Amino acid sequence: MFPLHRNRRLRVNESIRSLVRETTLSPTDFMFPMFIAEGENVEVAIPSMPGIFRRSIDLTVIEVKEIYALGIRAVNIYVKVSEHLKDNAGVEAWNPNGLMQQAIKAIKTACPEMIVMPDVALDPYSIYGHDGIIANGDVENDSTVAALVKMAVSHAQAGADFVAPSDMMDGRVLRLREGLDTAGFHHVGIMSYSAKYASAFYGPFRDALDSAPREADVVVPKDKKTYQMDYANRIEAIKEALSDVEEGADMVMVKPGIAYLDIVREVKNAVNVPVTVFHVSGEYAMIKAAAERGWLDHDKIMMEQLMCIKRAGASLISTYFAKEAAILLNK
C-alpha cells in the first residue's frame, strides 16, 4: 500500500529495469521466412515488403550463413513455382528434384545446424491458388491431405528438420505423423499452423509467391474462408490447437501475430508444446510504410512488437524482421 510500496522504485534507471524485466528477446527466438526462386544469381525485390527478396538457392544459402552467424537458428522456406509446373493436384510438390527439395538439401549441406521448416501446402503449386485440390467447387479435404503427406515425406527425404503444414485441412497432422513414421522419419517434427486465420494481413506474402486465389475455368472458392479460421472466433483456436497436439504436433502456430495476441495467450495456456507466432507480411509492411513516411520510429516499433509477441506466450517468432532485430540485439 502506498506510500510503503512505490512501484516506480523498480523503474528508476535502465539497470534496475533490466534486473526485473519479465520478458527478454534473443536472436534464437526468431525464425526467418525465406522465399526461393528458380535459377542462379537471382534476386527479385518484393515491392510490398521492403528489404525482402525472392532469391535463388545459391544466394539463399549465402543469406542463411549470414543469419546463422547472427544467432538465428531456424528458417521457414517457401518457393515461387513456375506456372508451367502448376496443376490442380500439386504433383510438383513432391518432386524429389523440385525447387523446395533442392533448397532444403542446399541449406542443410551449407549450414547443417540451421533448423529448416519447409512450408507444407499446395497453394504455390496450384493453378487455382488454393491450399488444396479443387473438387466440386471447393477444396477437397481428404485428397488434399493425401497429397500433403507425399509432400512432407519428400521434404523429410531432402533433410528437413520439421515440416510446417499451413493448409488448415482437417486431420492432416495425424496423417502427416503416420506418413513420416511409416517412411522412417520418426525424428522429423511437425510445426502445425493450428490457428491460421482468414486474414487480410497476408496480402504482401501472396504477392511474393503469386499464391492468391484466382479466376478459373471451373468453380473455385473466391477466398480461403472455407478452411482458414474466422477471425471473429477465439474458442475455435484452442480447439484446433488441442486437436493438433493430440494428433502429434510438436509445435503449434498462431497466425497472424500482433492482431491476435489474445489468441496466442489462450493457446499458450491450453497446450503443453511450444507455441510459434507468425508476425506476418502485412504487419511487417505496415511498419515499413509508416517508418518510410516518418510517422513511426522503425526500430523501436519493431522491437516493441516482437517483445509483445514473446510476452504473450510465443516460444518462437517467425518474422521478416528476424535479421534486423538480431543485428540490433547483438549490438
Side-chain angles (χ1 to χ4, degrees), residues 168 192-199 202 229-242 252-271 273-278 283 308-315:
M168 291 298 288
S192 174
Y193 288 58
S194 297
K196 181 179 180 181
Y197 285 85
S199 171
Y202 305 151
M229 286 177 51
D230 184 343
Y231 58 71
N233 292 355
R234 176 182 60 86
I235 295 172
E236 185 183 9
I238 302 169
K239 175 183 170 184
E240 287 276 10
L242 289 172
V252 297
M253 177 184 276
V254 175
K255 180 181 181 182
I258 284 295
Y260 293 78
L261 294 186
D262 60 321
I263 307 301
V264 175
R265 175 44 58 183
E266 293 272 15
V267 170
K268 178 69 172 179
N269 289 343
V271 302
V273 300
V275 176
T276 303
V277 176
F278 205 139
E283 295 168 321
C308 291
I309 293 171
K310 179 80 180 293
R311 187 194 65 215
S315 300

Side-chain angles (χ1 to χ4, degrees), residues 117-176:
M117 302 191 189
D119 179 56
V120 177
L122 295 185
D123 49 330
Y125 303 90
S126 169
I127 54 174
Y128 305 122
H130 275 284
D131 290 42
I133 297 169
I134 298 296
N136 300 316
D138 199 4
V139 174
E140 209 285 318
N141 194 92
D142 294 3
S143 62
T144 294
V145 170
L148 296 176
V149 172
K150 296 178 186 178
M151 185 179 185
V153 170
S154 78
H155 292 174
Q157 291 169 337
D161 300 282
F162 285 77
V163 294
S166 63
D167 55 286
M168 291 298 288
M169 297 298 113
D170 292 334
R172 90 274 208 214
V173 173
L174 176 61
R175 295 293 176 249
L176 289 175

